Amino acid sequence: MTNLLFSFQGRINRAKFWLVHLGIFVVEAIVLSLMGGTAAIISGDYEQVIIVSGGATGVVWTIVGVLAFWISLAVGVKRWHDRNKTGWWMLIILLPVIGGLWYLIECGFLKGTTGANTYGPAPLMAG
């Protein structure tokens, strides 16, 4: 599990990619509801949440946000590896509109390379 969530080495398939992102969403929703939720629902971005909620809840939300960011980055890099591309392709997200769409299509919907590639063996072994 640690390798899946925190390492930037290797490859993962689309199912793991989607499950990790779904898990991040669920964990953030639970943490938000335990903290009261109303401050974060009013604002919507991390800096505003910290300012509005303040104190210990701001610290907790910052920790959760940093962990979610790191895990998303690690999983995204491994998906790019499965497509036989370098993890630096994660920077495509910085392009307005088209970057996020490109990332979603490449990593979320397109199949990885068949068999072993530069970044390791196929995440799904046949037979």
Side-chain angles (χ1 to χ4, degrees):
M1 190 62 87
T2 305
N3 186 37
L4 172 67
L5 299 179
F6 298 104
S7 169
F8 290 87
Q9 304 297 318
R11 298 167 60 181
I12 61 168
N13 59 18
R14 289 172 288 182
K16 285 183 184 174
F17 173 82
W18 285 111
L19 284 173
V20 168
H21 283 292
L22 179 65
I24 289 171
F25 175 77
V26 168
V27 167
E28 286 182 339
I30 290 170
V31 170
L32 183 63
S33 66
L34 291 174
M35 291 185 338
T38 55
I41 292 170
I42 292 169
S43 60
D45 80 54
Y46 291 106
E47 291 93 16
Q48 299 255 329
V49 172
I50 294 166
I51 291 168
V52 173
S53 60
T57 57
V59 172
V60 169
W61 190 247
T62 301
I63 292 169
V64 169
V66 168
L67 280 174
F69 174 75
W70 185 269
I71 291 169
S72 296
L73 194 61
V75 169
V77 166
K78 285 188 263 200
R79 260 314 279 156
W80 284 112
H81 287 176
D82 193 40
R83 302 271 308 134
N84 205 20
K85 295 181 180 184
T86 179
W88 288 104
W89 272 90
M90 283 296 291
L91 295 176
I92 194 103
I93 294 173
L94 299 176
L95 291 175
V97 183
I98 192 73
L101 224 82
W102 189 320
Y103 172 73
L104 179 66
I105 291 168
E106 282 255 4
C107 292
F109 297 111
L110 296 179
K111 186 179 178 188
T113 56
T114 305
N117 68 16
T118 309
Y119 301 99
L124 296 174
M125 294 300 191

